[in-house]
Coordinates of all heavy atoms in Angstrom, one line a residue:
M3 N -0.1 15.2 8.6 CA -0.7 14.0 9.1 C -0.1 13.7 10.5 O 1.1 13.6 10.6 CB -0.5 12.9 8.1 CG -1.0 11.5 8.6 SD -0.6 10.3 7.4 CE 0.6 9.3 8.3
A4 N -0.9 13.5 11.5 CA -0.4 13.1 12.8 C -0.1 11.6 12.9 O -0.6 10.8 12.1 CB -1.5 13.4 13.8
S5 N 0.8 11.3 13.8 CA 1.1 9.9 14.0 C 0.0 9.2 14.8 O -0.6 9.8 15.6 CB 2.4 9.8 14.8 OG 3.5 10.3 14.0
S6 N -0.1 7.9 14.5 CA -1.1 7.1 15.2 C -0.6 6.6 16.5 O 0.6 6.3 16.7 CB -1.5 5.9 14.3 OG -0.5 5.0 14.2
Q7 N -1.6 6.4 17.4 CA -1.3 5.8 18.7 C -0.8 4.4 18.5 O 0.1 3.9 19.3 CB -2.5 5.8 19.6 CG -2.4 5.3 21.0 CD -1.6 6.3 21.9 OE1 -1.6 7.5 21.6 NE2 -1.0 5.8 22.9
E8 N -1.3 3.7 17.5 CA -0.8 2.3 17.2 C 0.6 2.2 16.9 O 1.4 1.3 17.3 CB -1.7 1.7 16.1 CG -3.1 1.4 16.5 CD -4.0 2.7 16.4 OE1 -3.6 3.7 15.8 OE2 -5.1 2.7 16.9
Y9 N 1.1 3.2 16.0 CA 2.5 3.2 15.7 C 3.4 3.5 16.9 O 4.4 2.9 17.1 CB 2.8 4.2 14.5 CG 4.2 4.0 14.0 CD1 4.5 2.9 13.2 CD2 5.2 4.9 14.3 CE1 5.8 2.8 12.7 CE2 6.5 4.8 13.8 CZ 6.8 3.7 13.0 OH 8.1 3.5 12.6
L10 N 2.9 4.5 17.7 CA 3.7 4.8 18.9 C 3.8 3.5 19.8 O 4.9 3.2 20.3 CB 2.9 5.9 19.7 CG 3.5 6.1 21.1 CD1 4.9 6.7 21.1 CD2 2.5 7.0 21.9
Q11 N 2.7 2.8 20.0 CA 2.8 1.6 20.8 C 3.7 0.6 20.2 O 4.4 -0.1 21.0 CB 1.4 1.1 21.1 CG 0.5 2.0 21.9 CD 1.1 2.3 23.3 OE1 1.7 1.5 24.0 NE2 1.1 3.6 23.6
F12 N 3.7 0.4 18.9 CA 4.6 -0.5 18.2 C 6.0 -0.2 18.5 O 6.8 -1.0 18.9 CB 4.3 -0.5 16.7 CG 5.4 -1.3 16.0 CD1 5.4 -2.7 16.0 CD2 6.3 -0.6 15.2 CE1 6.4 -3.3 15.3 CE2 7.3 -1.3 14.5 CZ 7.3 -2.7 14.5
V13 N 6.4 1.1 18.4 CA 7.8 1.5 18.6 C 8.1 1.4 20.0 O 9.2 0.9 20.4 CB 8.0 3.0 18.1 CG1 9.3 3.5 18.6 CG2 7.8 3.1 16.6
L14 N 7.2 1.7 21.0 CA 7.5 1.5 22.4 C 7.8 0.1 22.7 O 8.6 -0.3 23.5 CB 6.4 2.1 23.2 CG 6.3 3.6 23.2 CD1 5.1 4.1 24.0 CD2 7.5 4.4 23.7
E15 N 7.0 -0.8 22.1 CA 7.2 -2.3 22.3 C 8.6 -2.7 21.8 O 9.3 -3.5 22.4 CB 6.1 -3.1 21.7 CG 6.3 -4.6 21.7 CD 6.4 -5.2 23.1 OE1 5.8 -4.6 24.0 OE2 7.2 -6.2 23.2
Q16 N 9.0 -2.1 20.6 CA 10.3 -2.5 20.1 C 11.4 -2.0 21.0 O 12.5 -2.5 21.0 CB 10.4 -1.9 18.7 CG 9.5 -2.5 17.6 CD 9.7 -4.0 17.5 OE1 9.0 -4.8 18.2 NE2 10.6 -4.4 16.7
L17 N 11.2 -0.9 21.7 CA 12.2 -0.4 22.6 C 12.1 -0.9 24.1 O 12.8 -0.4 24.9 CB 12.0 1.2 22.6 CG 12.3 1.9 21.3 CD1 11.9 3.3 21.4 CD2 13.8 1.8 20.9
S18 N 11.2 -1.9 24.3 CA 10.9 -2.3 25.6 C 12.1 -3.0 26.4 O 12.0 -3.1 27.6 CB 9.7 -3.3 25.6 OG 10.0 -4.5 24.9
D19 N 13.1 -3.4 25.6 CA 14.3 -4.0 26.3 C 15.2 -2.9 26.9 O 16.0 -3.2 27.7 CB 15.1 -4.7 25.3 CG 14.5 -6.0 24.8 OD1 13.5 -6.4 25.5 OD2 14.9 -6.6 23.8
L20 N 14.9 -1.6 26.6 CA 15.7 -0.5 27.2 C 14.9 0.1 28.4 O 13.7 0.1 28.4 CB 15.9 0.6 26.1 CG 16.7 0.2 24.9 CD1 16.6 1.4 23.9 CD2 18.1 -0.1 25.3
E21 N 15.7 0.5 29.3 CA 15.1 1.2 30.5 C 15.0 2.7 30.2 O 15.8 3.2 29.5 CB 15.9 0.9 31.8 CG 15.9 -0.6 32.2 CD 16.7 -0.8 33.4 OE1 17.1 0.1 34.1 OE2 16.9 -2.0 33.7
E22 N 14.1 3.3 30.9 CA 13.9 4.8 30.9 C 13.6 5.3 29.5 O 14.1 6.3 29.1 CB 15.1 5.4 31.4 CG 15.4 5.1 32.9 CD 16.6 5.9 33.5 OE1 16.5 7.2 33.3 OE2 17.5 5.3 34.0
I23 N 12.7 4.6 28.8 CA 12.2 5.2 27.5 C 10.9 5.9 27.9 O 10.0 5.3 28.5 CB 11.9 4.1 26.5 CG1 13.2 3.4 26.0 CG2 11.1 4.6 25.3 CD1 14.0 4.3 25.1
N24 N 10.8 7.2 27.5 CA 9.6 7.9 27.7 C 9.2 8.7 26.5 O 10.0 8.8 25.5 CB 9.8 8.9 28.9 CG 10.0 8.2 30.2 OD1 9.2 7.6 30.7 ND2 11.2 8.4 30.7
Y25 N 8.0 9.2 26.4 CA 7.6 10.0 25.3 C 6.8 11.2 25.8 O 6.2 11.1 26.8 CB 6.9 9.2 24.2 CG 5.6 8.7 24.7 CD1 4.4 9.5 24.4 CD2 5.4 7.5 25.4 CE1 3.2 9.0 24.8 CE2 4.2 7.1 25.8 CZ 3.0 7.9 25.5 OH 1.8 7.5 25.9
R26 N 6.7 12.2 24.9 CA 5.8 13.3 25.2 C 5.0 13.6 23.9 O 5.7 13.8 22.8 CB 6.6 14.5 25.6 CG 5.7 15.8 25.8 CD 6.5 16.9 26.3 NE 6.7 16.6 27.8 CZ 7.7 17.1 28.4 NH1 8.6 17.9 27.9 NH2 7.8 16.9 29.7
A27 N 3.7 13.7 24.0 CA 2.9 14.1 22.8 C 3.1 15.6 22.5 O 3.2 16.4 23.4 CB 1.5 13.8 23.1
M28 N 3.3 15.9 21.2 CA 3.5 17.3 20.8 C 2.9 17.5 19.5 O 3.4 17.1 18.5 CB 5.0 17.6 20.8 CG 5.2 19.1 20.6 SD 6.8 19.7 21.2 CE 6.7 19.2 22.9
M29 N 1.7 18.2 19.5 CA 1.0 18.6 18.2 C 0.8 17.4 17.3 O 1.1 17.5 16.1 CB 1.8 19.7 17.6 CG 1.8 21.0 18.4 SD 2.4 22.4 17.6 CE 4.0 22.0 16.9
G30 N 0.3 16.3 17.8 CA 0.0 15.1 17.0 C 1.2 14.2 16.7 O 1.0 13.2 16.1
E31 N 2.3 14.6 17.2 CA 3.5 13.7 17.1 C 4.1 13.4 18.5 O 3.5 13.8 19.5 CB 4.6 14.5 16.2 CG 4.1 15.0 14.9 CD 3.6 14.0 13.9 OE1 3.7 12.8 14.2 OE2 3.0 14.4 12.9
Y32 N 5.2 12.6 18.5 CA 5.7 12.2 19.8 C 7.2 12.4 19.9 O 7.9 11.9 19.0 CB 5.4 10.7 20.0 CG 3.9 10.4 20.0 CD1 3.3 10.0 18.8 CD2 3.1 10.6 21.1 CE1 1.9 9.8 18.7 CE2 1.7 10.4 21.0 CZ 1.1 10.0 19.9 OH -0.2 9.8 19.8
I33 N 7.7 13.0 20.9 CA 9.1 13.1 21.2 C 9.5 12.0 22.0 O 8.9 11.6 23.0 CB 9.4 14.5 21.9 CG1 8.8 15.7 21.2 CG2 10.9 14.6 22.1 CD1 9.3 15.9 19.8
I34 N 10.6 11.3 21.6 CA 11.1 10.1 22.3 C 12.3 10.5 23.2 O 13.3 11.1 22.7 CB 11.5 9.0 21.4 CG1 10.3 8.6 20.4 CG2 12.0 7.7 22.1 CD1 9.1 8.0 21.1
Y35 N 12.3 10.1 24.4 CA 13.4 10.3 25.4 C 14.0 9.0 25.8 O 13.3 8.0 26.0 CB 12.9 11.0 26.6 CG 12.3 12.4 26.4 CD1 11.0 12.5 26.0 CD2 13.1 13.5 26.7 CE1 10.5 13.8 25.8 CE2 12.6 14.8 26.5 CZ 11.2 14.9 26.1 OH 10.7 16.2 25.9
Y36 N 15.3 9.0 25.9 CA 16.0 7.8 26.4 C 16.9 8.3 27.6 O 17.8 9.2 27.4 CB 16.9 7.2 25.3 CG 17.7 6.0 25.8 CD1 17.1 5.0 26.6 CD2 19.0 5.8 25.4 CE1 17.9 3.9 27.0 CE2 19.7 4.7 25.8 CZ 19.2 3.8 26.6 OH 19.9 2.7 27.0
R37 N 16.6 7.8 28.8 CA 17.3 8.3 30.0 C 17.3 9.8 30.1 O 18.3 10.4 30.3 CB 18.8 7.8 30.0 CG 18.9 6.3 30.0 CD 20.3 5.9 30.2 NE 20.6 4.6 30.0 CZ 21.8 4.1 29.7 NH1 22.9 4.9 29.6 NH2 22.0 2.8 29.5
S38 N 16.1 10.4 29.9 CA 15.9 11.8 30.0 C 16.5 12.7 28.9 O 16.4 13.9 29.0 CB 16.3 12.3 31.4 OG 15.7 11.6 32.4
K39 N 17.1 12.1 27.9 CA 17.6 12.9 26.8 C 16.8 12.6 25.5 O 16.4 11.5 25.2 CB 19.1 12.5 26.5 CG 20.0 12.8 27.6 CD 21.4 12.5 27.2 CE 22.4 12.9 28.4 NZ 23.8 12.7 28.0
I40 N 16.5 13.7 24.8 CA 15.8 13.6 23.5 C 16.7 12.9 22.5 O 17.8 13.3 22.2 CB 15.3 15.0 23.0 CG1 14.4 15.6 24.0 CG2 14.7 14.8 21.6 CD1 14.0 17.1 23.6
I41 N 16.1 11.8 22.0 CA 16.9 11.0 21.0 C 16.3 11.1 19.6 O 16.9 11.0 18.6 CB 17.0 9.5 21.5 CG1 18.1 8.8 20.8 CG2 15.7 8.8 21.2 CD1 18.7 7.7 21.6
G42 N 15.0 11.4 19.6 CA 14.3 11.6 18.3 C 12.8 11.7 18.5 O 12.4 12.2 19.6
G43 N 12.1 11.2 17.6 CA 10.6 11.3 17.7 C 9.9 10.5 16.6 O 10.5 9.9 15.7
I44 N 8.6 10.4 16.8 CA 7.7 9.8 15.8 C 7.0 10.9 15.1 O 6.3 11.7 15.7 CB 6.8 8.8 16.4 CG1 7.6 7.7 17.1 CG2 5.8 8.2 15.4 CD1 6.8 6.7 17.9
Y45 N 7.2 11.0 13.8 CA 6.6 12.0 12.9 C 5.9 11.3 11.7 O 6.6 10.6 11.0 CB 7.6 13.0 12.5 CG 8.4 13.7 13.6 CD1 9.6 13.1 14.1 CD2 7.9 14.8 14.2 CE1 10.3 13.7 15.1 CE2 8.6 15.4 15.2 CZ 9.8 14.8 15.7 OH 10.5 15.4 16.7
D46 N 4.6 11.5 11.5 CA 3.9 10.9 10.4 C 4.2 9.4 10.4 O 4.4 8.9 9.3 CB 4.3 11.6 9.1 CG 3.9 13.1 9.0 OD1 2.9 13.4 9.7 OD2 4.6 13.8 8.4
D47 N 4.1 8.8 11.5 CA 4.3 7.3 11.6 C 5.7 6.9 11.1 O 5.8 5.8 10.4 CB 3.2 6.5 10.9 CG 1.9 6.6 11.8 OD1 2.0 6.9 13.0 OD2 0.8 6.3 11.2
R48 N 6.7 7.7 11.3 CA 8.1 7.4 11.0 C 8.9 7.6 12.3 O 8.7 8.6 12.9 CB 8.7 8.3 9.9 CG 7.9 8.2 8.6 CD 8.4 9.3 7.7 NE 8.0 10.6 8.3 CZ 8.6 11.8 8.0 NH1 9.5 11.9 7.1 NH2 8.2 12.9 8.6
L49 N 9.8 6.7 12.6 CA 10.8 7.0 13.7 C 12.0 7.7 13.1 O 12.7 7.2 12.2 CB 11.2 5.6 14.3 CG 12.3 5.7 15.4 CD1 11.8 6.6 16.6 CD2 12.6 4.3 15.9
L50 N 12.2 8.9 13.6 CA 13.3 9.7 13.2 C 14.2 10.0 14.4 O 13.7 10.2 15.5 CB 12.8 11.1 12.6 CG 11.9 11.0 11.4 CD1 11.4 12.4 11.0 CD2 12.5 10.3 10.2
V51 N 15.5 10.0 14.2 CA 16.4 10.3 15.3 C 17.3 11.5 14.9 O 17.5 11.8 13.7 CB 17.3 9.1 15.7 CG1 16.4 7.9 16.2 CG2 18.1 8.6 14.5
K52 N 18.0 12.0 15.9 CA 18.9 13.1 15.7 C 20.1 12.7 14.8 O 20.6 11.6 14.9 CB 19.5 13.6 17.0 CG 18.5 14.3 17.9 CD 19.1 14.9 19.1 CE 18.2 15.7 19.9 NZ 18.9 16.4 21.1
P53 N 20.5 13.6 13.9 CA 21.6 13.2 12.9 C 22.9 13.4 13.5 O 23.7 14.3 13.1 CB 21.3 14.1 11.8 CG 20.7 15.4 12.4 CD 19.9 14.8 13.5
I54 N 23.3 12.6 14.5 CA 24.6 12.7 15.2 C 25.5 11.7 14.7 O 25.1 10.7 14.1 CB 24.4 12.7 16.7 CG1 23.8 11.4 17.2 CG2 23.7 13.9 17.2 CD1 23.7 11.2 18.7
K55 N 26.8 11.9 14.8 CA 27.8 11.0 14.3 C 27.6 9.5 14.6 O 27.7 8.6 13.7 CB 29.2 11.4 14.7 CG 29.7 12.7 14.1 CD 31.1 13.0 14.6 CE 31.5 14.4 14.0 NZ 32.8 14.8 14.5
S56 N 27.3 9.2 15.9 CA 27.1 7.8 16.3 C 25.9 7.2 15.6 O 26.0 6.0 15.2 CB 26.9 7.7 17.8 OG 25.9 8.6 18.2
A57 N 24.9 7.9 15.3 CA 23.7 7.3 14.6 C 24.0 7.1 13.2 O 23.7 6.1 12.6 CB 22.5 8.3 14.8
I58 N 24.7 8.1 12.6 CA 25.1 8.0 11.1 C 26.0 6.7 10.9 O 25.8 6.0 10.0 CB 25.8 9.2 10.7 CG1 24.7 10.4 10.7 CG2 26.4 9.1 9.3 CD1 25.3 11.8 10.5
S59 N 26.9 6.5 11.8 CA 27.9 5.4 11.6 C 27.2 4.1 12.0 O 27.6 3.0 11.5 CB 29.1 5.6 12.4 OG 28.9 5.7 13.8
Y60 N 26.2 4.1 12.9 CA 25.6 2.9 13.3 C 24.6 2.3 12.2 O 24.5 1.1 12.1 CB 24.8 3.1 14.6 CG 24.3 1.8 15.2 CD1 25.2 1.1 16.1 CD2 23.0 1.3 15.0 CE1 24.8 -0.1 16.6 CE2 22.6 0.1 15.5 CZ 23.5 -0.6 16.4 OH 23.1 -1.8 16.9
M61 N 24.0 3.2 11.4 CA 23.0 2.7 10.5 C 23.6 2.3 9.2 O 24.5 3.1 8.6 CB 21.9 3.8 10.3 CG 21.1 4.0 11.5 SD 19.5 4.8 11.1 CE 19.8 6.4 11.6
P62 N 23.2 1.2 8.6 CA 23.8 0.7 7.3 C 23.5 1.7 6.2 O 24.3 1.9 5.3 CB 23.2 -0.6 7.1 CG 22.0 -0.7 8.0 CD 22.2 0.3 9.1
T63 N 22.3 2.3 6.1 CA 22.0 3.3 5.1 C 21.4 4.5 5.9 O 20.7 4.3 6.8 CB 20.9 2.8 4.1 OG1 19.7 2.4 4.8 CG2 21.5 1.6 3.3
V64 N 21.8 5.7 5.4 CA 21.3 6.9 6.1 C 20.4 7.6 5.1 O 20.8 8.0 4.0 CB 22.5 7.7 6.5 CG1 22.1 9.0 7.2 CG2 23.4 7.0 7.5
T65 N 19.2 7.9 5.6 CA 18.2 8.7 4.8 C 17.8 9.8 5.7 O 17.3 9.7 6.8 CB 17.0 7.8 4.5 OG1 17.4 6.6 3.8 CG2 16.0 8.6 3.6
Y66 N 18.0 11.0 5.2 CA 17.6 12.2 5.9 C 16.2 12.6 5.5 O 15.8 12.6 4.3 CB 18.5 13.4 5.5 CG 19.9 13.3 6.1 CD1 20.9 12.6 5.4 CD2 20.2 13.9 7.3 CE1 22.2 12.5 6.0 CE2 21.5 13.7 7.9 CZ 22.5 13.0 7.2 OH 23.7 12.9 7.7
E67 N 15.3 12.9 6.5 CA 14.0 13.3 6.2 C 13.6 14.5 7.1 O 14.1 14.6 8.2 CB 13.0 12.2 6.4 CG 13.2 11.1 5.3 CD 12.0 10.2 5.1 OE1 11.0 10.5 5.7 OE2 12.2 9.2 4.4
L68 N 12.7 15.3 6.7 CA 12.2 16.4 7.5 C 11.0 15.9 8.4 O 10.1 15.2 7.9 CB 11.6 17.5 6.6 CG 12.7 18.3 5.8 CD1 12.0 19.3 4.9 CD2 13.6 19.0 6.7
P69 N 11.1 16.1 9.7 CA 10.0 15.7 10.5 C 8.7 16.5 10.2 O 7.6 15.9 10.3 CB 10.5 15.9 12.0 CG 11.6 16.8 11.8 CD 12.2 16.7 10.4
Y70 N 8.9 17.7 9.9 CA 7.7 18.6 9.6 C 8.3 19.8 8.8 O 9.5 20.1 8.9 CB 7.0 19.1 10.8 CG 7.8 19.6 11.9 CD1 8.1 21.0 11.9 CD2 8.3 18.8 12.9 CE1 8.9 21.5 12.9 CE2 9.2 19.3 13.9 CZ 9.4 20.7 13.9 OH 10.2 21.2 14.9
D71 N 7.5 20.6 8.2 CA 8.0 21.8 7.4 C 8.7 22.7 8.3 O 8.2 23.1 9.4 CB 6.8 22.5 6.7 CG 6.2 21.7 5.6 OD1 6.9 20.8 5.0 OD2 5.0 21.9 5.2
G72 N 9.8 23.2 7.8 CA 10.6 24.2 8.6 C 11.6 23.6 9.6 O 12.3 24.3 10.3
A73 N 11.5 22.3 9.8 CA 12.4 21.6 10.8 C 13.8 21.3 10.2 O 13.9 21.2 8.9 CB 11.8 20.4 11.3
K74 N 14.7 21.0 11.0 CA 16.0 20.4 10.6 C 15.8 19.0 10.2 O 15.0 18.3 10.8 CB 17.1 20.6 11.6 CG 17.4 22.0 12.0 CD 18.5 22.1 13.0 CE 18.8 23.5 13.3 NZ 19.9 23.6 14.4
E75 N 16.6 18.5 9.3 CA 16.6 17.1 8.9 C 17.0 16.2 10.0 O 17.8 16.5 10.8 CB 17.5 16.8 7.7 CG 17.0 17.5 6.4 CD 17.9 17.1 5.2 OE1 19.1 17.1 5.4 OE2 17.4 16.9 4.1
M76 N 16.3 15.0 10.0 CA 16.6 14.0 11.0 C 16.9 12.7 10.2 O 16.7 12.6 9.0 CB 15.5 13.8 11.9 CG 15.3 15.0 12.8 SD 13.9 14.8 13.9 CE 14.6 13.8 15.2
L77 N 17.3 11.6 10.9 CA 17.6 10.4 10.2 C 16.4 9.4 10.3 O 15.9 9.2 11.4 CB 18.8 9.7 10.9 CG 20.1 10.5 10.9 CD1 21.2 9.7 11.6 CD2 20.6 10.8 9.4
L78 N 16.0 8.9 9.2 CA 14.9 7.9 9.2 C 15.5 6.5 9.7 O 16.5 6.0 9.1 CB 14.3 7.7 7.8 CG 13.3 6.7 7.6 CD1 12.0 7.0 8.5 CD2 12.9 6.5 6.2
V79 N 14.8 5.9 10.7 CA 15.2 4.6 11.2 C 14.3 3.6 10.4 O 13.1 3.6 10.6 CB 15.0 4.5 12.7 CG1 15.4 3.0 13.1 CG2 15.8 5.5 13.4
E80 N 14.9 2.9 9.5 CA 14.2 1.9 8.7 C 14.0 0.6 9.3 O 13.1 -0.2 9.0 CB 14.8 1.8 7.3 CG 14.8 3.2 6.6 CD 15.3 3.1 5.2 OE1 15.0 2.1 4.5 OE2 16.0 4.0 4.7
E81 N 14.9 0.2 10.3 CA 14.9 -1.1 10.9 C 14.1 -1.1 12.2 O 14.6 -1.6 13.2 CB 16.3 -1.6 11.1 CG 17.1 -1.8 9.8 CD 18.5 -2.4 10.0 OE1 18.6 -3.4 10.8 OE2 19.4 -1.9 9.4
V82 N 12.9 -0.6 12.2 CA 12.1 -0.6 13.4 C 11.6 -1.9 13.8 O 11.1 -2.1 14.9 CB 10.9 0.4 13.3 CG1 11.4 1.9 13.2 CG2 10.1 0.1 12.1
D83 N 11.7 -2.9 12.9 CA 11.2 -4.3 13.3 C 12.2 -5.1 14.1 O 11.9 -6.1 14.6 CB 10.9 -5.1 12.0 CG 9.7 -4.5 11.3 OD1 8.8 -4.0 11.9 OD2 9.7 -4.7 10.0
S84 N 13.4 -4.5 14.3 CA 14.5 -5.2 15.0 C 14.7 -4.6 16.4 O 15.3 -3.5 16.5 CB 15.8 -5.2 14.2 OG 16.8 -5.7 15.0
K85 N 14.3 -5.2 17.4 CA 14.5 -4.7 18.8 C 16.0 -4.6 19.1 O 16.5 -3.6 19.7 CB 13.9 -5.7 19.8 CG 12.5 -5.6 20.0 CD 12.0 -6.5 21.1 CE 10.7 -6.1 21.7 NZ 10.3 -6.9 22.9
E86 N 16.8 -5.6 18.6 CA 18.2 -5.6 18.8 C 18.9 -4.3 18.2 O 19.7 -3.7 18.8 CB 18.9 -6.9 18.3 CG 20.3 -7.0 18.6 CD 20.9 -8.3 18.1 OE1 20.5 -9.3 18.7 OE2 21.6 -8.3 17.1
F87 N 18.5 -4.1 16.9 CA 19.0 -2.9 16.2 C 18.7 -1.6 16.9 O 19.6 -0.7 17.1 CB 18.5 -2.9 14.8 CG 19.0 -1.7 14.0 CD1 20.2 -1.6 13.4 CD2 18.2 -0.5 13.9 CE1 20.7 -0.5 12.7 CE2 18.6 0.6 13.2 CZ 19.9 0.6 12.6
L88 N 17.4 -1.5 17.3 CA 17.0 -0.2 18.0 C 17.7 0.0 19.3 O 18.2 1.1 19.6 CB 15.5 -0.2 18.2 CG 14.7 -0.1 16.9 CD1 13.2 -0.1 17.3 CD2 15.0 1.2 16.2
A89 N 17.9 -1.1 20.1 CA 18.6 -1.0 21.4 C 20.1 -0.6 21.1 O 20.6 0.3 21.8 CB 18.5 -2.3 22.1
G90 N 20.7 -1.2 20.2 CA 22.1 -0.8 19.8 C 22.2 0.6 19.4 O 23.1 1.3 19.8
L91 N 21.3 1.1 18.5 CA 21.3 2.4 18.0 C 21.1 3.4 19.2 O 21.9 4.4 19.3 CB 20.2 2.6 17.0 CG 19.9 4.1 16.5 CD1 21.2 4.6 15.8 CD2 18.7 4.1 15.6
F92 N 20.1 3.2 20.0 CA 19.9 4.1 21.1 C 21.1 4.2 22.1 O 21.5 5.2 22.6 CB 18.6 3.8 21.9 CG 17.4 4.3 21.2 CD1 17.2 4.3 19.8 CD2 16.3 4.9 22.0 CE1 16.1 4.9 19.2 CE2 15.2 5.4 21.4 CZ 15.1 5.4 20.0
N93 N 21.6 3.0 22.4 CA 22.8 3.0 23.3 C 24.0 3.6 22.7 O 24.8 4.3 23.4 CB 23.1 1.5 23.7 CG 22.2 1.0 24.7 OD1 21.8 1.7 25.7 ND2 21.8 -0.3 24.6
A94 N 24.2 3.5 21.4 CA 25.3 4.2 20.7 C 25.1 5.7 20.7 O 26.1 6.4 20.9 CB 25.4 3.6 19.2
M95 N 23.9 6.1 20.5 CA 23.6 7.5 20.5 C 23.7 8.2 21.9 O 24.1 9.4 22.0 CB 22.3 7.8 19.9 CG 22.1 7.5 18.5 SD 20.4 7.8 17.9 CE 20.3 9.5 18.0
Y96 N 23.4 7.5 22.9 CA 23.2 8.1 24.3 C 24.5 8.8 24.7 O 24.5 9.9 25.2 CB 22.8 7.0 25.3 CG 22.6 7.6 26.7 CD1 21.5 8.3 27.0 CD2 23.6 7.4 27.6 CE1 21.4 8.9 28.2 CE2 23.5 8.0 28.9 CZ 22.3 8.7 29.2 OH 22.2 9.3 30.4
A97 N 25.7 8.1 24.5 CA 26.9 8.7 25.0 C 27.2 10.1 24.3 O 27.8 11.0 24.9 CB 28.1 7.8 24.8
E98 N 26.8 10.2 23.1 CA 27.0 11.4 22.3 C 26.0 12.5 22.6 O 26.3 13.7 22.4 CB 27.0 11.1 20.8 CG 27.5 12.3 20.0 CD 27.6 11.9 18.5 OE1 27.6 10.7 18.1 OE2 27.6 12.9 17.7
L99 N 24.9 12.2 23.1 CA 23.9 13.2 23.5 C 24.3 13.9 24.7 O 23.9 14.7 25.3 CB 22.5 12.5 23.6 CG 21.9 11.9 22.3 CD1 20.7 11.1 22.7 CD2 21.6 13.0 21.3

């Protein structure tokens, strides 16, 4: 199942406090870039980020999910309704990327 344009726009709005957020469409899904670094993506209308130490320690609960068959596991971001949480997560991850 491909991700919807509506969910992409919702996530981009939630990230609007951050500068240099970009995305690239890829086979019905979206890769998310923060300051030119890949931070994660939108897969099946889920925001998933790279499973790096800073992301794991920042999130209160960590759920690993596959973005698509054959891919490496990524972390599901469940708090997409909080702009503050997302900004903090992306900023925490950026230094490690």
Side-chain angles (χ1 to χ4, degrees):
M3 175 180 111
S5 293
S6 68
Q7 185 72 25
E8 293 80 14
Y9 189 75
L10 170 66
Q11 292 306 315
F12 169 73
V13 171
L14 292 176
E15 173 59 31
Q16 294 300 94
L17 296 169
S18 64
D19 290 344
L20 297 172
E21 294 181 9
E22 297 184 55
I23 292 289
N24 294 297
Y25 70 92
R26 175 177 286 154
M28 186 155 306
M29 299 189 307
E31 308 298 353
Y32 302 96
I33 307 299
I34 304 293
Y35 295 83
Y36 179 41
R37 297 186 193 161
S38 302
K39 294 185 180 183
I40 296 174
I41 202 151
I44 297 174
Y45 304 91
D46 296 329
D47 287 340
R48 300 169 297 161
L49 177 60
L50 303 177
V51 296
K52 290 183 173 186
I54 58 177
K55 290 179 185 178
S56 55
I58 293 167
S59 62
Y60 191 85
M61 290 202 260
T63 59
V64 178
T65 304
Y66 289 87
E67 294 201 5
L68 293 174
Y70 52 87
D71 289 338
K74 293 182 180 178
E75 290 183 322
M76 296 178 78
L77 303 177
L78 175 64
V79 180
E80 297 184 41
E81 295 186 46
V82 291
D83 292 331
S84 171
K85 281 185 161 188
E86 183 177 291
F87 176 83
L88 290 178
L91 173 63
F92 277 42
N93 283 319
M95 292 178 68
Y96 181 76
E98 191 176 340
L99 296 171

